[in-house]
């Protein structure tokens, strides 16, 4: 009788363990996934902000010569010949900053260099930016920047009318979006969500460029 | 029945009764009678000693449950607050680096080249960062304006502490949280301070923590050959606090 009671206790312990362990593993997987998501979001914010800022490290009128390619990170090759050098600087900064967890990211393709967006206000309509001629359309980051052509013609950047209203200020914006996919990781066992991460940053030009 | 310091203690109901004159039951008859009398108490089948142990076990269970709940709650608070602070310290560090870089990018190359152009000795002790009145707006130098603006926006420093919708700009007061930028003429120093409200503050501990970080950045000179040497002696608006 004592032996059967002990056997019953053992069975109960096994059953309890079998119930508790999956729940614990599920919780652990989701904790790790949240931690990864926070880290990637932070990295994405930094990368876009630094990309927008790095545009100002190139002269306004500098243009990439023929044959220029950029980035090279995780197999990405973007042809930037004929585009503003500042745009390539932005892309290189972005790809150079996004170095961890890149295998988990499914990027939303974007046009690398655009110009002419407008945030809009009561009197001015909101405008979407347009792509620079020849700009790669499968980049992971998109930067809206202004430049000066060889003849002196000014290509407008993004006008943010919340700054210096109502005329606004010509700023540089960079944005990127990607979904975090855990499908090819062991976390897929307990993580059933695929968050989409967005980041957008704006950099004000220095006074001598305004 | 149990032995006390002196004599014997008998149980009447739940109350012990000390009986100094009592003696140990000696015969089998007495033991059986005593056992029966004890068995007729409110919880038949349990001896008084067992009943006391059972009550103590219940008390221990309650104390353990309360203590463990308190411990778990503290642990959750600690983990949540630590994670929150970790995230914010990273953000503030990024903001400090970005704001320093932004300040360094505000160097006007024309100003720089003009200064180096007037030097005749080959090595000029000029300021790389524009700390003259040129491009100065209000009380802020050109590099400060860009630096503060970037720091405030990147660290998401709210203009109103009760609402995080509108962020601070360079024209707002940078206390108690905000961005402080200075330059020694060679590089830009930025210090970003952010007041973080803990999500689950531990009872008895402050619910506000100030996170601070700093960054340095040098401007892009833009020449192939170094034509100037920066002395780095003139701090504007003042030397860094540490």
């Amino acid at each position: 009788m004592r032996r059967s009671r002990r056997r019953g206790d053992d069975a109960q312990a096994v059953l309890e363990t079998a119930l508790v362990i999956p729940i614990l593993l599920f919780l652990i997987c989701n904790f790790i996934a949240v931690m990864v998501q926070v880290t990637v979001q932070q990295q994405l914010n930094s990368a876009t902000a630094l990309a927008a800022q790095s545009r100002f490290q190139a002269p306004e009128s500098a243009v990439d010569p023929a044959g220029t390619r950029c980035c090279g990170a995780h197999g990405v090759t973007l042809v930037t010949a004929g585009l503003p050098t500042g745009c390539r600087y932005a892309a290189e900064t972005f790809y150079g900053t996004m170095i961890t967890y890149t295998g988990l990211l499914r990027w939303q393709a974007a046009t690398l260099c655009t110009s002419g967006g407008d945030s809009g206000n009561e009197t001015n309509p909101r405008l979407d930016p347009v792509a620079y001629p020849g700009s790669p359309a499968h980049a992971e980051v998109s930067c809206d920047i202004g430049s000066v052509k060889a003849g002196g013609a000014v290509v407008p950047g993004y006008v943010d009318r919340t700054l210096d209203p109502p005329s606004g200020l010509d700023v540089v914006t960079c944005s990127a979006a990607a979904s975090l996919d855990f499908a090819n990781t062991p976390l897929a066992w307990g993580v059933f969500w695929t968050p989409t991460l967005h980041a957008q940053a704006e950099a004000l030009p220095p006074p001598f460029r305004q | 029945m149990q032995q006390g310091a002196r004599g014997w203690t008998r149980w009447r109901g739940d109350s012990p009764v000390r009986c100094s004159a009592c003696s140990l039951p000696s015969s089998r008859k007495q033991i059986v009678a005593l056992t029966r009398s004890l068995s007729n108490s409110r919880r038949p089948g349990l001896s008084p000693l067992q009943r006391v142990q059972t009550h103590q076990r219940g008390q221990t269970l309650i104390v353990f449950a309360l203590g463990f709940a308190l411990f778990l709650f503290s642990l959750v608070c600690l983990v949540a607050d630590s994670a929150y602070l970790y995230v914010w310290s990273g953000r503030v560090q990024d903001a400090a680096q970005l704001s320093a870089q932004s300040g360094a990018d505000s160097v006007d190359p024309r100003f720089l080249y003009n200064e180096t152009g007037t030097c005749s000795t080959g090595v000029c002790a000029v300021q790389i960062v524009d700390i003259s009145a040129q491009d100065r707006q209000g009380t802020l130098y050109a590099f400060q304006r860009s630096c503060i603006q970037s720091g405030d926006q990147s660290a998401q420093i709210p203009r109103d502490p009760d609402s995080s919708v509108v962020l601070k700009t360079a024209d707002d007061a940078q206390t108690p949280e905000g961005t402080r930028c200075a330059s020694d003429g060679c590089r830009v120093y930025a210090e970003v301070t952010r007041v973080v409200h803990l999500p689950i503050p531990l009872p008895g501990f402050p619910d506000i923590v100030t996170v601070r970080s700093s960054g340095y950045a040098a401007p892009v000179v833009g020449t192939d050959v170094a034509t100037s040497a920066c002395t780095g002696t003139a701090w504007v608006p003042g030397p860094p606090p540490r």
Side-chain angles (χ1 to χ4, degrees), chain A residues 42-43 45-46, chain B residues 82-98 154-155 196 211-213:
Chain A
Q42 196 165 330
Q43 191 178 211
N45 291 342
S46 298
Chain B
S82 303
Y84 199 68
L85 275 179
Y86 176 74
V87 168
W88 269 106
S89 67
R91 282 184 190 168
V92 170
Q93 178 64 49
D94 288 347
Q97 286 174 352
L98 182 69
S154 185
V196 176
V211 180
R212 188 175 287 123
S213 192

Side-chain angles (χ1 to χ4, degrees), chain A residues 38-39 41-43 45-46 49-50 53-54 56-57 163 202-210, chain B residues 86-87 90-91 94 98 101-102 105-110 135 137 142 146 149-150 154 156 220:
Chain A
V38 169
T39 306
Q41 180 67 63
Q42 196 165 330
Q43 191 178 211
N45 291 342
S46 298
L50 286 169
Q53 188 59 46
S54 64
F56 299 120
Q57 294 176 9
L163 301 170
E202 194 173 284
L204 266 68
F208 62 89
R209 281 188 165 180
Q210 290 174 11
Chain B
Y86 176 74
V87 168
R91 282 184 190 168
D94 288 347
L98 182 69
Q101 188 60 57
S102 181
D105 285 344
S106 296
V107 176
D108 188 344
R110 289 168 300 180
D135 291 330
Q137 293 176 16
S146 299
Q149 186 82 21
S150 292
S154 185
Q156 299 166 32
V220 177

Side-chain angles (χ1 to χ4, degrees), chain B residues 103-104 106-108 111-112 126-132 143-144 182-188 217-219 230 236:
Chain B
S106 296
V107 176
D108 188 344
F111 169 77
L112 186 64
V126 296
Q127 310 299 340
I128 302 290
V129 177
D130 182 0
I131 57 173
S132 68
F143 78 88
Q144 276 182 298
S183 174
D184 63 351
C186 299
R187 61 198 72 85
V188 174
C230 196
V236 289

